[in-house]
Amino acid sequence: MFKKLLFLAFILPIIAYSQHKVSYKIYYDEDLAKNGLKVQVDYKLKKATDTLSFYYANENWGENDLFKNLILLKEENPDIIFEIIPESNKIKILKKKGTEFSLIYHIRQDFTDPNHKIFNRPRINNTFFHILGKNLFMVPFSFTKMPDEQEFEFSVEWLNFPEKFKLHNNFASQAYRQKIKTTLWYGFYNSLFIGGDYRFYSFTIKDKPIYFALRDEWNNGFTDDFLFSNLKKAIQSQRDFWQDYDQDYFTITMTPTVSQKDSLYKGYSTTGSAIKNAFMIQGTNNPFNDKKSYLYLFHHELMHEWIGNKIQNKHEELNYWFSEGFTDYYTYKNRLRIKDISIDEWQKLFNTEVIKSHWKNPEKNIPNYKIKDDFWKSRNTEKVPYRRGAIFAFWLDNQLMLKTNYQKSLDDLMRELLKTCTEKKVKFTDELFLDLVQKYLEQDISYFFQKHIISGQDIDLTKEKWIDGFSFLIADGIPQLEIDKTKNLRYTIK
């Protein structure tokens, strides 16, 4: 009896885990623009059945009606009946009873380039493809009901792709067969898959590879050397700041979303997103994007590897004051620390891009719960947590330096927060943060936090205490930071 129980104890986890495996074959086509990427998904169940549902996201990252990219052909699936239900993100399958399910589908671009408003829809033509994992792979619907921390094994095989058509993603570079063991939402679906005429560069930090992939030509002097050298500088400096070198694999991808050199679109526009083991940059390739805008984007998005990914929000938009605001604050502070910008440039940027932009925002005083409701609906609302959080971070940084006579700063608190979240495997909450602040400041700032972050009232910057050399005056109704350069300014202490 004991032997039987021991056998069951050994075999049950194997049987259970077999239900968490799914395989994909992706086929090259000489006319990808017309036919799209052909994908075959295979899944084996423990018990025989005649029905199964697959999940495919109809909405993702601001894009709607993504089922328009999904093509299912009866002639490629002759032995099954399928029902497409976009409003439920579902494809229902009916076939002869068994344990093995297989479905062939195509992902095809559904818009005409150039398009200045589309960033996250699948881009597929005969030259390259650029697709988020969530838009490329459907999974058994049961996967979506598992806990967030549940790991799955995804097998991906790329078939018949010519050597010149380079393949790259968040998990490997130039790999034609992949075994990807990761979570669904924060791993497999939080990813980017690219292929085609991309150019690749790489370097290592502590023997761990970092890849840079980009394609096409870029305006305004964005040479490969300028982009790659500044990415290297940003990545090295941020890992040094966090004292964190654990990342085994990391990649940065740059895809121009508009390639014409004389774009009719008038205005600066870039976008970037931190994703699993990576971040991606997309930017309308027009004359209004300058080098400074990309340097800001590099530092902001790379910082999200820690603030947002490793220190992960429990309540998403309700915590954006932290994940976006503190990221923005350290975007400027880290650039000053490594002398990417001067103290005069830092002062100007902080006064204009953070403080002035916030004070002129008509939505600047909305309460935090409304940010949750309206973040994706209003550009003004979207910017509130960036600026509100950055100003709060600046205030807190100053208070910590004053309290400890410049022995500690917000930097120390952030590194301890990272250690807490990663070692204890907890997510970021307001309560966790306020407890840590109380430990460092030896005082409870809950009332201040409630008033200025949750309720949205402005901090009276002219009446607060600041480190030696910092003060605020009012110019045209807007507070502006003044710096006395005769003082021994100790802002970027280690």
Side-chain angles (χ1 to χ4, degrees), residues 224-356:
D224 288 12
D225 180 65
F226 165 77
L227 294 166
F228 184 50
S229 62
N230 279 283
L231 275 171
K232 287 173 67 175
K233 185 178 179 181
I235 293 169
Q236 181 72 63
S237 67
Q238 291 189 4
R239 292 193 180 186
D240 290 344
F241 165 71
W242 289 102
Q243 300 166 13
D244 180 11
Y245 306 95
D246 291 342
Q247 193 83 18
D248 290 326
Y249 174 93
F250 193 75
T251 183
I252 305 97
T253 302
M254 267 184 87
T255 300
T257 50
V258 174
S259 298
Q260 64 209 67
K261 294 184 181 298
D262 56 342
S263 170
L264 297 176
Y265 179 76
K266 301 299 182 183
Y268 155 84
S269 178
T270 59
T271 182
S273 300
I275 47 182
K276 177 70 173 178
N277 300 330
F279 90 92
M280 63 176 187
I281 299 173
Q282 300 174 86
T284 52
N285 199 9
N286 65 62
F288 300 92
N289 291 340
D290 58 24
K291 291 182 179 180
K292 291 180 180 179
S293 68
Y294 275 92
L295 292 177
Y296 164 83
L297 191 67
F298 290 166
H299 282 269
H300 182 96
E301 295 304 332
L302 286 166
M303 189 60 69
H304 272 313
E305 177 61 27
W306 292 273
I307 308 175
N309 279 359
K310 291 191 175 183
I311 305 172
Q312 196 174 100
N313 290 345
K314 186 172 183 178
H315 302 297
E316 276 306 311
E317 292 90 348
L318 288 175
N319 296 141
Y320 277 1
W321 64 266
F322 173 75
S323 61
E324 294 297 353
F326 278 50
T327 294
D328 223 38
Y329 177 67
Y330 274 102
T331 295
Y332 298 110
K333 187 177 182 181
N334 194 54
R335 292 183 66 196
L336 175 62
R337 192 195 314 274
I338 64 173
K339 297 181 172 55
D340 190 47
I341 52 176
S342 67
I343 187 68
D344 290 333
E345 290 172 311
W346 173 83
Q347 178 187 5
K348 182 179 179 181
L349 285 168
F350 199 72
N351 274 331
T352 56
E353 299 298 323
V354 178
I355 298 173
K356 186 176 181 180

